[in-house]
Amino acid sequence: MTDDREDVLPDDEYDLEVEERDDAIIGQAFRWSLLAITILVVVGGGTAWWLTRPEEQPEAKERVTARVGLRARSKVEIPAVTFVDVTSQAGIKFTHQNGASGQKLLPETMGGGCAFIDYDGDGDQDLLLVNSQRWPWDQDSQQTPATMHFYRNDGAGTFVDVTVEVGLGHSFYGMGSAVGDYDNDGDQDLFLTAVGANHLYRNDAGKFTEVTAEAGVAGDEKEWSTSCTFFDYNNDGLLDLFVCNYLLWSREIDLAQDFKLTGTDRRAYGKPQSFGSRFPFLYRNDGGGKFSDVSQEMGVHTVNSDQGVPLAKSLGVVAADLDQDGWMDLLVSNDTVENQLFHNQGGQKFTDIGGNSGVSVDSRGQSTGAMGIDVAPFRNNHMLGVAVGNFADEMTSLYIAQKKDAPLQFFDAAVPTGLGPQTQIELTFGLFFFDYDLDGRLDLLAANGHLEDEINKVIESQTYAQPVQLFYNAGTDGATEFVPVPAAKAGADLVRPMVGRGAAYADIDNDGDLDVLVTATGAAPRLLRNDQDLGHHWIRFQLSGSRSNRSGIGARISVHTAGRILPRLVTATRSYLSQSELPVTFGLGSAAAVEKVVIHWPSGAVQELLTPAVDQVHQVNEPE
């Protein structure tokens, strides 16, 4: 029988081949083992060196941020409107005391609120400057404690210091302010926020009485409150109160963190990311001078879903009926965390729809260092725009409602409107919409200034003091919608660098145009008189509610003139820590007549005024 497997070797030859093959495999395995051991030695040694290497100080370099390019602009003729610094000649003698003494505690660089308020009912806009103070552990017995400063306006733009006379010579670490007639007695009251307890002052015929304790709105001694606003969230005719709280801060927490300027051994002001977040306060006005804290039950205590801690680090707030459903909503700007839009659910609850509405982050989908905020129908079409001032190297955000049937859906149009690329370098605190040239379109002003006085040594493009920026609304929907106004068109006083914080506007001299106040931390404010002489007409309205709150906050006014409809909102606090005047100014351009005015009151009443005279102020009472 033969073997059909012709490839099978005899036993002795097969054993020899297997033995040789095994030797080859063993040799190859040995060589691979030597190579692997060598690699492990090299990698292990390198890793050990890396982990034990001496720590090197990083080289101080300017952060390189991609700049947003500018599209070709069509030519825009910017009107010449000069703003003149009249601070001294107007009688304003004030220097903000921030308590800075070298320890670099974060509140020292964040303060400087203000408010325009007609406290004596004479039709002139008076002025409050919110002061801070030296820290309790750094008091100087040889110095008089810093206090708030209050100035009475003589009607022509000259101010007299009446701080003590009106009862506001109080000293605490003040931050922001809000104005409103919370007791509906016909005069405007004041609420002031602070690092520590807050303060409510009732206006008793031109004298301010502190009623914080009996009203129940002091807040918590451990809180750091910032912006605040009076508004009527439940339409009962009584002004309620919303108060922003910023960070979980104390001197001990701040000093325990060794903040340094990059590349130096100098202590720096801390970053908000290094401190805990806080809940805001919402107080319901119960009448009789009493408020109730309804923050939790009304839904404004939102938490971070990932960590279960408070979401907000709030610096700015503005109240407005965003969807015109008859209920006031809240927009809150938060520093380095998502902005919030609290949608009012019929006065029963607020729902935070910031993320779904498009206002929580910027056009890149990122949270920003958000400070000041304002809302207005700047396109004169009832579609609201929301401006938010952001940190250095972050463009100012400009959220615009997308369409009339979706008023709560916004997109960030900072770039397509031309505003964003012009605001990327500056660090913006206060900002607001106003019609500075009285042409009927709302322009935008921004107060800028950095936190660190030595920032230029670290980042060449940054300075501590920065120019105020004014943006002309050219009335287009393209890259020329907001155009920066140069010094040649606005005056050197406006753009002279300062460490800007709060910002507000009012007609201080009763000439119909809007003047500007910008505050500074640890320095003097700047009062800028608007000297426009364009021949433009104007009309102003001062509202007084009956069924609605006496201040008329929350009303909408539309002026019909020369084929245009100009809508405006009666809002309280806007900008950063600040309150602009309550009367509403409409620029009319060359139109010398108004056909009619329509007022939608918070109560739901609709009032029409036919052919009111231009170039004057109209006092309007809500129909009973």
Side-chain angles (χ1 to χ4, degrees):
M1 183 174 177
T2 61
D3 193 338
D4 294 331
R5 294 175 298 167
E6 296 178 355
D7 57 341
V8 176
L9 298 175
D11 289 343
D12 55 345
E13 292 184 19
Y14 177 81
D15 291 341
L16 179 60
E17 183 172 289
V18 169
E19 188 174 310
E20 291 174 349
R21 187 183 304 144
D22 289 344
D23 289 343
I25 293 172
I26 291 170
Q28 186 178 28
F30 179 73
R31 289 191 296 274
W32 280 110
S33 298
L34 285 177
L35 179 60
I37 291 170
T38 302
I39 292 172
L40 287 173
V41 169
V42 172
V43 172
T47 301
W49 173 85
W50 177 261
L51 294 175
T52 59
R53 77 194 191 288
E55 184 175 356
E56 297 179 359
Q57 290 295 326
E59 181 183 355
K61 295 181 178 179
E62 178 178 353
R63 183 173 62 178
V64 178
T65 302
R67 301 297 178 201
V68 178
L70 295 175
R71 298 197 301 270
R73 293 175 175 270
S74 57
K75 184 174 177 57
V76 172
E77 186 61 36
I78 300 174
V81 175
T82 302
F83 286 87
V84 178
D85 185 348
V86 295
T87 312
S88 296
Q89 71 185 70
I92 306 299
K93 297 177 175 60
F94 173 82
T95 300
H96 179 255
Q97 169 61 268
N98 61 7
S101 60
Q103 291 188 320
K104 290 211 167 183
L105 303 175
L106 189 54
E108 296 166 359
T109 194
M110 301 296 289
C114 61
F116 282 110
I117 170 176
D118 181 9
Y119 84 104
D120 51 5
D122 63 356
D124 307 323
Q125 294 301 314
D126 309 299
L127 175 61
L128 168 75
L129 290 165
V130 181
N131 212 348
S132 300
Q133 65 175 3
R134 297 175 71 100
W135 294 108
W137 53 85
D138 188 39
Q139 294 295 321
D140 185 347
S141 60
Q142 303 301 312
Q143 289 188 354
T144 302
T147 70
M148 308 301 113
H149 272 57
F150 194 88
Y151 295 89
R152 183 180 64 234
N153 188 347
D154 69 354
T158 299
F159 293 84
V160 177
D161 190 335
V162 293
T163 307
V164 176
E165 176 184 330
V166 302
L168 289 174
H170 295 170
S171 182
F172 51 88
Y173 206 99
M175 295 294 294
S177 61
V179 172
D181 185 0
Y182 80 89
D183 54 1
N184 285 334
D185 65 350
D187 46 31
Q188 302 297 322
D189 309 299
L190 274 172
F191 184 79
L192 303 183
T193 61
V195 177
N198 301 317
H199 302 264
L200 176 64
Y201 294 93
R202 186 184 65 220
N203 187 343
D204 296 323
K207 301 285 186 180
F208 288 98
T209 303
E210 181 163 6
V211 293
T212 312
E214 60 195 78
V217 292
D220 191 320
E221 284 279 358
K222 296 181 180 179
E223 294 288 0
W224 173 1
S225 299
T226 53
S227 293
C228 51
T229 189
F230 283 113
F231 76 124
D232 183 5
Y233 79 81
N234 54 5
N235 286 345
D236 63 355
L238 298 172
L239 287 176
D240 310 298
L241 178 64
F242 183 89
V243 182
C244 294
N245 289 316
Y246 186 30
L247 303 174
L248 178 60
W249 181 90
S250 69
R251 180 194 185 198
E252 292 71 26
I253 294 174
D254 203 328
L255 292 178
Q257 304 183 72
D258 193 20
F259 301 115
K260 300 289 187 185
L261 277 174
T262 303
T264 76
D265 59 357
R266 298 183 182 90
R267 178 167 169 81
Y269 287 108
K271 298 179 179 180
Q273 297 94 324
S274 301
F275 300 88
S277 49
R278 306 304 295 156
F279 288 130
F281 297 136
L282 176 61
Y283 298 102
R284 184 186 64 225
N285 189 337
D286 297 327
K290 305 290 186 181
F291 288 79
S292 295
D293 186 345
V294 293
S295 310
Q296 180 68 36
E297 64 191 77
M298 287 301 297
V300 300
H301 280 185
T302 54
V303 299
N304 184 309
S305 57
D306 295 329
Q307 302 171 341
V309 297
L311 172 66
K313 295 181 178 181
S314 304
L315 288 176
V317 61
V318 63
D321 181 3
L322 301 177
D323 53 355
Q324 295 188 16
D325 65 350
W327 303 94
M328 295 282 281
D329 310 299
L330 288 165
L331 284 156
V332 179
S333 52
N334 288 315
D335 193 2
T336 70
V337 297
E338 296 179 1
N339 299 324
Q340 295 169 290
L341 194 169
F342 289 109
H343 185 219
N344 191 334
Q345 307 293 310
Q348 302 301 308
K349 199 173 184 66
F350 285 94
T351 302
D352 183 5
I353 61 169
N356 292 332
S357 69
V359 301
S360 62
V361 294
D362 66 6
S363 58
R364 305 166 299 164
Q366 298 181 8
S367 299
T368 60
M371 268 76 74
I373 187 169
D374 195 12
V375 58
F378 71 89
R379 286 180 172 170
N380 287 335
N381 61 1
H382 293 282
M383 302 307 296
L384 296 177
V386 179
V388 178
N390 293 317
F391 202 77
D393 278 331
E394 296 175 340
M395 294 181 291
T396 291
S397 299
L398 183 61
Y399 304 102
I400 302 176
Q402 297 187 42
K403 48 189 176 180
K404 190 171 184 178
D405 60 353
L408 297 177
Q409 293 297 313
F410 295 83
F411 74 102
D412 189 350
V415 173
T417 60
L419 178 66
Q422 308 291 343
T423 61
Q424 189 168 4
I425 293 178
E426 290 75 17
L427 197 167
T428 299
F429 277 87
L431 84 173
F432 53 72
F433 292 104
F434 77 138
D435 185 359
Y436 80 94
D437 61 336
L438 299 179
D439 67 350
R441 295 189 298 267
L442 291 171
D443 313 292
L444 186 70
L445 181 138
N448 306 314
H450 213 283
L451 305 185
E452 292 287 350
D453 56 0
E454 295 184 309
I455 190 63
N456 186 248
K457 295 180 180 179
V458 179
I459 305 176
E460 291 182 4
S461 64
Q462 291 296 324
T463 57
Y464 184 45
Q466 298 179 356
V468 172
Q469 290 177 293
L470 178 62
F471 296 93
Y472 171 65
N473 184 343
T476 70
D477 290 338
T480 55
E481 188 159 8
F482 282 101
V483 182
V485 181
K489 295 287 187 176
D493 289 347
L494 179 72
V495 300
R496 191 169 69 251
M498 64 184 299
V499 188
R501 291 297 183 260
Y505 64 81
D507 180 8
I508 63 171
D509 48 6
N510 290 313
D511 63 353
D513 54 35
L514 297 174
D515 311 293
V516 170
L517 177 74
V518 181
T519 67
T521 182
R526 190 177 301 167
L527 182 63
L528 297 151
R529 188 185 64 216
N530 185 337
D531 283 351
Q532 71 86 27
D533 189 21
L534 302 172
H536 288 168
H537 295 287
W538 52 273
I539 192 167
R540 285 164 59 84
F541 298 94
Q542 172 72 65
L543 302 189
S544 180
S546 56
R547 289 182 290 165
S548 303
N549 66 86
R550 194 71 173 267
S551 299
I553 293 172
R556 304 194 315 272
I557 308 175
S558 296
V559 168
H560 297 240
T561 178
R564 294 195 296 173
I565 300 177
L566 309 177
R568 299 289 183 264
L569 308 177
V570 182
T571 54
T573 307
R574 54 165 57 83
S575 184
Y576 172 73
L577 306 180
S578 302
Q579 168 90 40
S580 292
E581 64 175 6
L582 284 174
V584 180
T585 297
F586 290 79
L588 302 176
S590 60
V594 168
E595 300 161 14
K596 68 175 180 178
V597 176
V598 181
I599 302 173
H600 292 261
W601 292 89
S603 66
V606 180
Q607 183 177 10
E608 285 194 10
L609 308 175
L610 298 178
T611 62
V614 303
D615 299 332
Q616 67 180 59
V617 182
H618 294 267
Q619 303 285 335
V620 182
N621 297 320
E622 180 183 15
E624 294 288 347

